[in-house]
């Protein structure tokens, strides 16, 4: 009899446990199935001490964090006298053929290296990245060689570049550790460059172009840079730095599921860094465990967290006030993302910070950001940029010799090749999704002559 009662008792307990487990799967399954952050590292900018890390030597796709090396190579060329901030950059046919994010200037448009760097690091324009690479390296291929040379010299042993912008190419890889080395070198070797990557936006004529990093810069105490990036195969990446009381901490976060998760996680990580005083390793002697990059379509397997999930994980406040005006915890597939254009294609800076409107109601994303990142502490003030180069003797004669002739990307391999439209052959630049300046708008100078050896 006792055995029978015990059996019935344990049987009931088993049923209860099974029901509880089933309920937890139904309620929390979507969150638990998410891949969340792919890899990250937290580093003291002065000592290189590794304050925290996860799979920091695993290879990953850099996306637009590539442009940090593009900037580094450019600043080194300026330091060595091979170029100057007023040297001309020319928008070539090769550069304008890059997919968005892009500016879309007409072929032959000229601007300075200074303007190119600001557009590169704030707006992350791919066409400007190639134009700058051609101006500094003579050709895009020559510049890519310089990128890999610098990576090897800096000890970035998991890194290999095949383009200067970070658009999808599975041969282009890096690691969180390597990017921390690059971020630290960019700060240490070129302290004057810090004013190039701490702006929340650009003002170009009547247009204002917002940085994908703006909410981090405007909300996180002491935030001073550095760069964001996104392609589907990498997820949302960021190199972020914060300075407080004379100490700077750098976080590299790769593979977040959304722009807001990227900011919230990096903010939490950086806050932790200021509470951490000792470390076992530095970025130079961190054990190399390696690991392969994520499989293709990483973004499709790593579901974006909704407002409730973000608040449950990152809410810094004690009050748990509702921020949603609809019951569903899943985003409407047809949601309109304000504050960034994301068509689902491999746009390497398609970000999703901002408000989201759905057919079921609205989420107050401003309130969400107040809770998971912090309220805005400073006003949004974009930096002004313009086209053109200095006239007459003010031009740099060395840099003029580096003005590129149109030439194809030697490693593109036809990945983005497309038939040239008739308007382009006639000297006009057709509009394309994501470019800022459409046909008939912008500035134009004579197109560089064709190479005599072609």
């Amino acid at each position: 009899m006792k055995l029978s009662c015990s059996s019935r008792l344990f049987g009931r307990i088993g049923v209860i446990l099974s029901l509880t487990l089933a309920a937890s799967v139904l309620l929390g399954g979507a969150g638990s199935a998410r891949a969340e952050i792919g890899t990250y590292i937290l580093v003291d900018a002065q000592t290189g001490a590794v304050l925290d890390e996860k799979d920091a030597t695993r290879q990953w796709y850099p996306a637009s964090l590539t442009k940090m090396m593009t900037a580094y190579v450019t600043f080194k060329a300026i330091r060595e006298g091979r170029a100057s901030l007023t040297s001309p950059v020319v928008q070539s046919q090769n550069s304008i053929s890059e997919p968005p994010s892009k500016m879309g200037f007409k072929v032959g448009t000229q601007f300075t290296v200074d303007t190119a760097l600001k557009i590169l690091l704030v707006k992350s324009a791919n066409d400007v990245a190639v134009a700058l690479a051609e101006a500094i390296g003579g050709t895009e291929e020559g510049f890519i060689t310089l990128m890999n040379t610098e990576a090897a010299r800096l000890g970035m042993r998991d890194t290999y570049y095949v383009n200067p912008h970070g658009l999808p190419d599975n041969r282009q890889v890096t690691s969180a550790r390597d990017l921390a080395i690059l971020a630290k070198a960019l700060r240490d070797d070129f302290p004057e460059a810090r004013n190039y990557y701490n702006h929340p936006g650009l003002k170009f004529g009547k247009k204002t172009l917002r940085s994908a990093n703006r909410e981090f810069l405007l909300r996180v105490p002491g935030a001073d840079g550095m760069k964001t990036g996104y392609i589907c195969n990498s997820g949302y990446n960021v190199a972020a730095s914060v300075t407080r009381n004379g100490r700077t901490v750098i976080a590299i976060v790769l593979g977040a599921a959304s722009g807001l998760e990227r900011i919230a996680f990096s903010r939490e990580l950086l806050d932790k860094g200021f509470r951490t005083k000792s470390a076992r390793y530095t970025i130079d002697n961190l054990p190399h465990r390696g690991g392969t990059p994520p499989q293709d379509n990483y973004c499709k397997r790593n579901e974006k967290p909704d407002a409730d999930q973000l608040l449950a994980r990152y809410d810094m406040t004690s009050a748990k006030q509702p921020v949603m005006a609809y019951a569903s915890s899943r985003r409407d597939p047809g949601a309109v993302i304000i504050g960034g254009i994301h068509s689902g294609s491999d746009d390497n800076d398609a970000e999703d910070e901002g408000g989201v409107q759905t057919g079921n109601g609205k989420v107050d994303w401003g309130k969400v950001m107040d809770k998971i990142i912090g309220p805005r502490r400073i006003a949004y003030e974009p930096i002004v940029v313009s086209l053109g180069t200095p006239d007459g003797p003010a031009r740099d004669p060395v840099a003029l010799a580096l003005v590129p002739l149109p030439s194809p990307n030697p490693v593109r391999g036809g990945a983005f090749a497309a038939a040239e439209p008739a308007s382009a052959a006639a000297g006009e630049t057709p509009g394309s999704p994501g470019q800022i300046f459409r046909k008939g708008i912008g500035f134009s100078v004579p197109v560089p002559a064709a190479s005599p050896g072609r």
Side-chain angles (χ1 to χ4, degrees):
M1 183 65 178
K2 290 181 180 179
L3 181 62
S4 177
C5 290
S6 297
S7 298
R8 285 197 298 271
L9 177 61
F10 284 119
R12 290 172 182 171
I13 292 174
V15 171
I16 293 172
L17 289 174
S18 297
L19 291 173
T20 302
L21 178 61
S24 67
V25 169
L26 288 173
L27 293 173
S32 61
R34 292 185 54 248
E36 297 184 341
I37 305 301
T39 170
Y40 63 82
I41 192 170
L42 182 67
V43 174
D44 186 293
Q46 182 177 4
T47 66
V50 177
L51 307 175
D52 197 3
E53 62 97 10
K54 172 195 171 186
D55 296 333
T57 59
R58 178 187 177 183
Q59 285 193 325
W60 205 267
Y61 302 117
S64 273
L65 299 195
T66 296
K67 296 183 176 83
M68 293 166 60
M69 179 59 83
T70 303
Y72 186 92
V73 171
T74 300
F75 284 120
K76 186 174 183 181
I78 295 170
R79 176 76 55 81
E80 295 175 350
R82 294 182 285 111
S84 75
L85 289 175
T86 58
S87 297
V89 177
V90 178
Q91 192 83 68
S92 68
Q93 186 64 56
N94 177 46
S95 62
I96 205 172
S97 65
E98 298 297 338
S101 173
K102 63 193 294 182
M103 296 299 289
F105 298 135
K106 288 183 177 181
V107 173
T109 300
Q110 291 193 31
F111 41 95
T112 63
V113 167
D114 177 70
T115 293
L117 284 166
K118 290 170 181 173
I119 293 174
L120 180 83
L121 293 171
V122 178
K123 178 55 185 160
S124 199
N126 299 318
D127 51 355
V128 171
V130 173
L132 179 60
E134 291 173 328
I136 299 300
T139 64
E140 186 179 8
E141 182 179 20
F143 188 85
I144 294 167
T145 298
L146 294 175
M147 294 173 73
N148 284 310
T149 298
E150 290 305 314
R153 185 184 65 82
L154 291 170
M156 298 170 63
R157 57 193 174 196
D158 300 310
T159 298
Y160 182 70
Y161 295 108
V162 297
N163 65 54
H165 40 61
L167 281 165
D169 190 316
N170 283 4
R171 296 169 298 169
Q172 183 141 311
V173 291
T174 189
S175 67
R177 169 195 171 272
D178 282 8
L179 288 170
I181 290 174
L182 175 59
K184 186 176 184 302
L186 193 56
R187 287 182 55 87
D188 292 347
D189 297 348
F190 306 107
E192 67 274 17
R194 297 175 191 174
N195 289 331
Y196 281 87
Y197 48 73
N198 64 358
H199 298 289
L202 300 175
K203 186 172 179 58
F204 194 97
K206 296 182 179 180
K207 296 180 181 292
T208 298
L209 312 176
R210 295 182 295 176
S211 166
N213 210 27
R214 66 190 177 277
E215 297 300 341
F216 174 81
L217 292 169
L218 299 178
R219 294 173 183 269
V220 176
D224 46 27
M226 302 176 74
K227 188 73 186 73
T228 64
Y230 170 87
I231 58 174
C232 182
N233 281 1
S234 74
Y236 290 81
N237 299 343
V238 68
S241 63
V242 167
T243 301
R244 297 173 189 167
N245 299 319
R247 184 187 181 199
T248 299
V249 177
I250 297 171
I252 307 295
V253 176
L254 307 177
S258 73
L260 287 183
E261 181 179 57
R262 171 179 62 191
I263 301 175
F265 183 83
S266 60
R267 188 246 352 132
E268 182 181 76
L269 195 62
L270 288 158
D271 286 349
K272 177 182 178 181
F274 288 102
R275 299 191 299 268
T276 305
K277 303 301 181 183
S278 62
R280 184 177 180 184
Y281 300 108
T282 68
I283 49 177
D284 295 323
N285 63 19
L286 183 70
H288 189 271
R289 300 181 182 91
T292 58
Q295 295 180 353
D296 289 354
N297 297 314
Y298 172 84
C299 69
K300 296 179 181 178
R301 299 189 304 276
N302 196 15
E303 183 180 356
K304 293 183 178 181
D306 59 27
D308 283 342
Q309 291 170 319
L310 288 169
L311 286 168
R313 173 65 177 81
Y314 299 108
D315 191 357
M316 298 184 295
T317 66
S318 57
K320 304 291 183 180
Q321 300 177 359
V323 296
M324 300 176 65
Y326 61 94
S328 172
S329 64
R330 296 179 61 86
R331 274 187 189 158
D332 182 348
V336 178
I337 300 175
I338 304 173
I341 302 172
H342 187 2
S343 63
S345 63
D346 284 318
D347 179 343
N348 70 334
D349 254 322
E351 309 296 344
D352 70 349
E353 290 97 351
V356 176
Q357 298 177 339
T358 76
N360 297 325
K362 294 183 178 180
V363 176
D364 187 342
W365 286 101
K367 185 179 290 185
V368 172
M369 287 189 283
D370 286 347
K371 288 174 173 288
I372 68 174
I373 308 170
R376 281 198 174 184
R377 306 175 66 257
I378 58 177
Y380 173 72
E381 295 183 3
I383 187 173
V384 177
V385 296
S386 60
L387 295 180
T389 59
D391 295 326
R395 283 189 166 185
D396 185 341
V398 176
L400 285 174
L402 298 178
V403 173
L405 299 174
S407 59
N409 183 333
V411 294
R412 185 176 290 129
F416 300 110
E420 183 176 338
S423 59
E428 300 177 353
T429 303
S432 63
Q435 77 179 45
I436 304 302
F437 296 94
R438 302 293 200 269
K439 176 180 176 181
I441 304 175
F443 303 80
S444 180
V445 298
V447 178
S451 171
R454 182 168 295 167

